[in-house]
Amino acid sequence: MNVTNIGINTFRNCTTLTSVTIPDSVTSIGDYAFYGCIRLTRVTIPDSVTSIGGSAFSGCSGLTSVTIGNGVTSIGSSAFQNCTNLESLIFKGMTTAQVKSTFTNYASWGISEDKIHGELDT
């Protein structure tokens, strides 16, 4: 059986979770799915994912890097709120300007604008 979504609150406050591999069969990450996973350090979201729910990674204070696949078309508010060690949010297949024009709600994600990057800028 293939997992197609990571539901609301699935790993919420799972403080022992240090890494996660999201399979290519997943198309959505629900609200609060990884909320409070303080030991989670890096996440790569595959191209198959189209939506990331609100507060999905909020409170993941150990998170330093997130790479977002080019299939994502929707990111909920506060998705990365209180990810105090997050150094970069990298969007595959896009420039930073494209990210900001595509995701007009980026200011609501809970991270500073200077941490949002398009893969094509490097």
Side-chain angles (χ1 to χ4, degrees), residues 38-95:
I38 59 173
R39 288 190 176 84
L40 189 61
T41 58
R42 292 179 163 265
V43 174
T44 299
I45 297 170
D47 294 343
S48 60
V49 172
T50 59
S51 67
I52 299 170
S55 298
F57 294 93
S58 184
C60 293
S61 56
L63 203 56
T64 59
S65 175
V66 177
T67 301
I68 297 179
N70 59 23
V72 172
T73 58
S74 170
I75 299 175
S77 66
S78 302
F80 302 98
Q81 187 76 41
N82 296 321
C83 293
T84 53
N85 289 304
L86 187 61
E87 297 167 5
S88 62
L89 186 62
I90 302 166
F91 287 79
K92 287 174 50 181
M94 298 178 96
T95 65

Side-chain angles (χ1 to χ4, degrees), residues 27-43:
T27 59
S28 67
I29 298 172
D31 296 347
Y32 302 96
F34 294 94
Y35 180 96
C37 294
I38 59 173
R39 288 190 176 84
L40 189 61
T41 58
R42 292 179 163 265
V43 174

